Amino acid sequence: MPRHNTSVCGNCLNDYVVEQVKRAIKDQAMFQRGDRILVAVSGGKDSLSLWDILTRLGYDTAGLHIQQGIGDYSEESYRKTIAFSESRGAELIVHSLKEEEGAGVLELAELTDRSPCSACGVMKRYNFNKIARERGFDVLATGHNLDDEASRLLGNVLRWQEDYLAKQSPSLPATHDQLVKKVKPLYRLAEREITAYAVVNKIDYVIEECPMSVGSKMLVNKEVLNRLEADAPGTKQAFYFGFLERQRPADLSREDDKLQSCTRCGQPTSAAICSYCRILEKVKTAP
Ligand code: AMP
Ligand code: ZN
């Protein structure tokens, strides 16, 4: 672990990873014992490791997997997620876009002239929130790690997206009674530390990246940060943690005022009809 100027064995790695997650949960007041946590699991190393760690710590969790319908990649993701949940006897909720929304991510993108990543993002955010609320979960947890958050920060800074900067947080409270709290308990851990955790603990995850993410800004930013990190270990952490210390958080109490209920589905949105319903409209009217 160059950024800590140390090497560790498997046991010490496990202790370190679990300690960092405990600290994240405490420092950011993410959730408490007894809270019901819905873990969004893609089948990748981050979200499966997160589910593993939270279970190990004795939290009350269930997994939620969205089947995106992106060919072999989605099939493989689904298989790995199911295998993990069965091996742990853990509850898994599966939501298939093809079955529930009537089309997978690629068809949705085509019908709406959106990029696949944009259509996928809308579908995931909407269903994460709706399913968590409907099923009575207190909080939704995702597997975003330090690399994800640092590269998102870099993207937001490069374009000075102040709105996004104010809201970029490892713990976002529910700002509306129809919204669930969202947390990222892996934000203190680097991608390679989580990969090592998954390998040491024999977690069988999907190795390939989503084929739609090839060439995305997020991956370019990650590469840039990896080069900086290789040159000066600790750069990513200094960048992101330094931001969290200096951040002037958005006045989230006023966020509520900006939201209204979607006239179609009733979910909170900043427009009259939410993005999800606008996408579904296209599916319904497609030839
Ligand atoms: P990504 O945007 O693909 O880097 O994913 C970030 C986080 O979103 C993952 O760590 C998961 O927690 C969640 N996630 C991504 N894809 C899915 C999916 N198909 N089903 C459930 N959760 C997902
Ligand atoms: Zn709607």
Side-chain angles (χ1 to χ4, degrees):
M1 293 197 288
R3 77 179 160 121
H4 299 301
N5 198 18
T6 184
S7 300
V8 289
C9 66
N11 284 339
C12 292
L13 175 80
N14 281 348
D15 290 348
Y16 165 77
V17 166
V18 168
E19 225 22 72
Q20 293 303 314
V21 173
K22 277 189 185 165
R23 179 150 175 210
I25 296 169
K26 187 161 171 262
D27 282 3
Q28 299 285 332
M30 291 185 175
F31 41 75
Q32 294 177 338
R33 226 151 267 290
D35 282 349
R36 289 191 70 215
I37 305 160
L38 185 61
V39 186
V41 273
S42 61
K45 59 186 181 328
D46 303 300
S47 49
L48 286 181
S49 296
L50 172 61
W51 201 8
D52 182 79
I53 296 161
L54 295 182
T55 312
R56 206 184 256 238
L57 288 171
Y59 285 104
D60 179 2
T61 66
L64 167 62
H65 179 72
I66 309 278
Q67 281 186 295
Q68 296 148 306
I70 309 177
D72 291 348
Y73 167 75
S74 292
E75 289 296 319
E76 178 82 347
S77 306
Y78 173 66
R79 274 198 297 275
K80 302 268 172 178
T81 307
I82 289 272
F84 180 91
S85 75
E86 283 176 354
S87 74
R88 310 296 159 111
E91 180 191 353
L92 176 69
I93 301 164
V94 176
H95 180 97
S96 155
L97 296 184
K98 282 199 173 144
E99 281 167 30
E100 306 294 332
E101 276 81 6
V105 162
L106 302 181
E107 296 101 294
L108 291 173
E110 208 157 285
L111 287 170
T112 55
D113 280 336
R114 281 175 182 262
S115 70
C117 296
S118 152
C120 183
V122 172
M123 290 295 131
K124 280 195 291 198
R125 279 192 298 277
Y126 187 90
N127 283 303
F128 286 171
N129 187 69
K130 182 150 177 275
I131 293 169
R133 293 275 321 162
E134 278 175 2
R135 307 217 184 192
F137 287 92
D138 297 292
V139 54
L140 177 97
T142 53
H144 294 95
N145 58 40
L146 176 60
D147 295 48
D148 294 323
E149 295 309 292
S151 78
R152 181 194 298 254
L153 175 60
L154 180 60
N156 288 340
V157 168
L158 288 174
R159 294 184 178 274
W160 290 117
Q161 285 170 305
E162 290 180 42
D163 254 28
Y164 291 163
L165 283 167
K167 279 190 251 166
Q168 186 180 349
S169 167
S171 180
L172 265 187
T175 52
H176 185 281
D177 61 0
Q178 290 297 317
L179 288 177
V180 74
K181 179 175 183 179
K182 299 189 188 76
V183 297
K184 302 172 181 173
L186 300 184
Y187 81 93
R188 303 185 59 83
L189 289 157
E191 196 156 295
R192 63 196 299 261
E193 294 165 354
I194 297 162
T195 307
Y197 179 89
V199 171
V200 164
N201 293 284
K202 301 192 169 56
I203 294 173
D204 187 19
Y205 63 89
V206 194
I207 293 171
E208 56 178 310
E209 296 272 356
C210 174
M212 295 301 122
S213 72
V214 175
S216 72
K217 283 255 163 21
M218 193 74 170
L219 288 187
V220 175
N221 289 347
K222 275 191 179 175
E223 268 172 45
V224 170
L225 285 167
N226 281 338
R227 285 188 56 189
L228 295 170
E229 182 77 19
D231 184 55
T235 301
K236 271 179 222 171
Q237 172 182 330
F239 182 48
Y240 185 56
F241 290 6
F243 163 72
L244 291 180
E245 282 158 21
R246 288 166 182 77
Q247 183 183 33
R248 274 171 293 163
D251 182 0
L252 294 172
S253 61
R254 283 171 38 218
E255 283 296 297
D256 213 3
D257 302 344
K258 295 188 208 149
L259 295 176
Q260 45 187 306
S261 295
C262 169
T263 52
R264 299 274 160 84
C265 72
Q267 291 285 305
T269 170
S270 51
I273 300 176
C274 76
S275 308
Y276 174 88
C277 286
R278 276 182 277 145
I279 292 180
L280 275 208
E281 171 104 37
K282 300 266 185 180
V283 177
K284 286 188 190 131
T285 55

